[in-house]
């Protein structure tokens, strides 16, 4: 069984995630105990602070240094991606492909927290899909449920123009997003649960607990759907079969 964490901040010293290799290692060990087999390192990409080439160089170097230090250890396999912070016009930039998860046709997109989901945002999401054939995955969509335009965003998910991810920690007891997260899963809007882990303490990788919460509250079939999506994602994005 494959459990693919598509959203994490495990790379050392590149964003507000793991601060050094030791912390990265701790997070990877925790992920392993949570059953995670494959993990995407998705540092924040903010186009107002970085150009794409510079960013890719920095994260590539960070991944290499991490892999060098964990050589030979039995830990989840690491893939590169990033969490792209939404900006107006993102649907029309040419370098967008190099921000995708493992050079696939999926991009992890973070919307502005506390801002309405405007027609421009919806148009950009549609453009990413329609112009480039890239499927945006909306990161921690539960955060935006109260924003104006959320219904229209769900409409795009219903039409398969984009997909959605929720954070594992949002399903935990007392989390303010728990109810919304369960509701979104129940209605079939969520393709992925991911950890969005930032450190062993801050938003730790609670994947197996999250799946347990889904099972207890909604039933095993909802967990099976998420697990099925992990398998499909693994087979199509991480281990694509070669055409002969
Ligand atoms: Fe994140």
């Amino acid at each position: 069984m494959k459990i693919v964490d598509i959203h994490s901040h495990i790379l050392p010293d590149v964003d507000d995630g793991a601060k050094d290799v030791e912390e990265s290692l701790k997070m990877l060990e925790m992920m392993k105990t949570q059953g995670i087999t494959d993990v995407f390192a998705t540092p924040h990409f903010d186009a107002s602070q970085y150009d794409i080439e510079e960013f890719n160089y920095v994260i590539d170097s960070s991944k290499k240094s991490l892999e060098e230090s964990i050589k030979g250890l039995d830990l989840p396999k690491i893939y590169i991606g990033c969490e792209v912070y939404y900006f107006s016009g993102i649907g029309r930039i040419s370098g967008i492909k190099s921000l995708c998860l493992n050079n696939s046709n999926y991009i992890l997109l973070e919307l502005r927290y506390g801002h309405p989901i405007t027609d421009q945002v919806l148009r950009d999401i549609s453009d990413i899909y329609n112009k480039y054939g890239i499927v945006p995955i909306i990161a921690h969509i539960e955060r935006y449920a109260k924003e104006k335009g959320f219904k229209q965003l769900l409409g795009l998910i219903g039409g398969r123009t984009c997909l959605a991810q929720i954070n594992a920690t949002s399903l935990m007891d007392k989390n303010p997003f728990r109810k919304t997260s369960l509701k979104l899963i129940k209605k079939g809007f969520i393709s992925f649960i991911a950890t969005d882990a930032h450190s062993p303490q801050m938003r730790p990788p609670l994947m197996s607990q999250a799946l347990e919460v889904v099972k207890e509250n909604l039933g095993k079939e909802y967990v099976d759907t998420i697990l099925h999506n992990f398998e499909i994602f693994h087979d199509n994005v991480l281990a694509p079969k070669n055409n002969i």
Side-chain angles (χ1 to χ4, degrees):
M1 185 171 67
K2 296 291 179 189
I3 294 192
V4 184
D5 185 2
I6 65 159
H7 182 175
S8 82
H9 299 267
I10 51 164
L11 285 189
D13 196 28
V14 289
D15 62 0
D16 57 346
K19 62 179 191 304
D20 51 30
V21 169
E22 243 169 68
E23 215 168 67
S24 304
L25 175 60
K26 256 186 215 155
M27 290 162 77
L28 284 163
E29 283 168 342
M30 289 168 91
M31 285 173 172
K32 193 186 168 196
T33 66
Q34 292 281 318
I36 293 169
T37 54
D38 303 87
V39 56
F40 275 94
T42 53
H44 296 284
F45 173 75
D46 183 342
S48 69
Q49 291 180 18
Y50 262 122
D51 77 50
I52 295 179
E53 270 181 33
E54 183 192 358
F55 177 79
N56 281 335
Y57 176 78
V58 168
I59 61 170
D60 206 47
S61 313
S62 177
K63 183 187 180 235
K64 279 184 187 145
S65 88
L66 175 59
E67 283 182 331
E68 192 55 41
S69 342
I70 60 171
K71 224 184 206 168
L73 299 179
D74 183 20
L75 293 167
K77 195 161 179 210
I78 304 168
Y79 300 86
I80 284 292
C82 61
E83 179 179 11
V84 182
Y85 190 56
Y86 171 80
F87 58 90
S88 181
I90 189 174
R92 293 188 299 277
I93 61 160
S94 56
I96 194 165
K97 179 80 183 159
S98 67
L99 296 171
C100 287
L101 299 172
N102 197 39
N103 292 318
S104 68
N105 288 328
Y106 294 89
I107 191 165
L108 185 64
L109 182 65
E110 175 180 29
L111 301 183
R112 291 183 192 145
Y113 191 32
H115 286 72
I117 301 162
T118 61
D119 288 347
Q120 176 68 45
V121 174
L122 298 165
R123 210 164 28 242
D124 276 322
I125 291 171
S126 300
D127 281 351
I128 293 172
Y129 180 70
N130 292 322
K131 293 191 178 165
Y132 297 101
I134 293 171
V135 182
I137 302 175
I138 309 300
H140 33 63
I141 194 170
E142 68 276 19
R143 289 187 190 172
Y144 315 110
K146 291 205 166 83
E147 303 301 341
K148 192 169 174 278
F150 188 69
K151 259 195 185 163
Q152 287 86 335
L153 180 62
L154 293 184
L156 291 184
I157 296 169
R160 309 298 285 175
T161 297
C162 61
L163 302 176
Q165 172 257 308
I166 58 160
N167 281 357
T169 46
S170 294
L171 289 161
M172 299 300 119
D173 264 351
K174 293 182 187 153
N175 188 291
F177 298 114
R178 180 180 155 107
K179 216 172 140 190
T180 304
S181 301
L182 284 167
K183 202 166 141 189
L184 289 169
I185 295 173
K186 191 167 185 197
K187 292 196 168 174
F189 289 114
I190 305 303
S191 295
F192 303 101
I193 295 174
T195 68
D196 192 12
H198 276 65
S199 79
Q201 296 80 27
M202 189 194 156
R203 216 171 292 139
L206 301 179
M207 183 68 90
S208 57
Q209 283 97 321
L211 293 172
E212 199 51 40
V213 171
V214 174
K215 189 172 152 192
E216 276 169 20
N217 287 271
L218 303 176
K220 188 178 170 295
E221 65 271 31
Y222 288 88
V223 176
D224 289 344
T225 302
I226 301 277
L227 293 178
H228 180 67
N229 290 340
F230 287 148
E231 290 285 341
I232 303 232
F233 204 72
H234 178 272
D235 291 352
N236 292 334
V237 173
L238 304 184
K241 308 260 181 302
N242 289 326
N243 289 323
I244 298 170

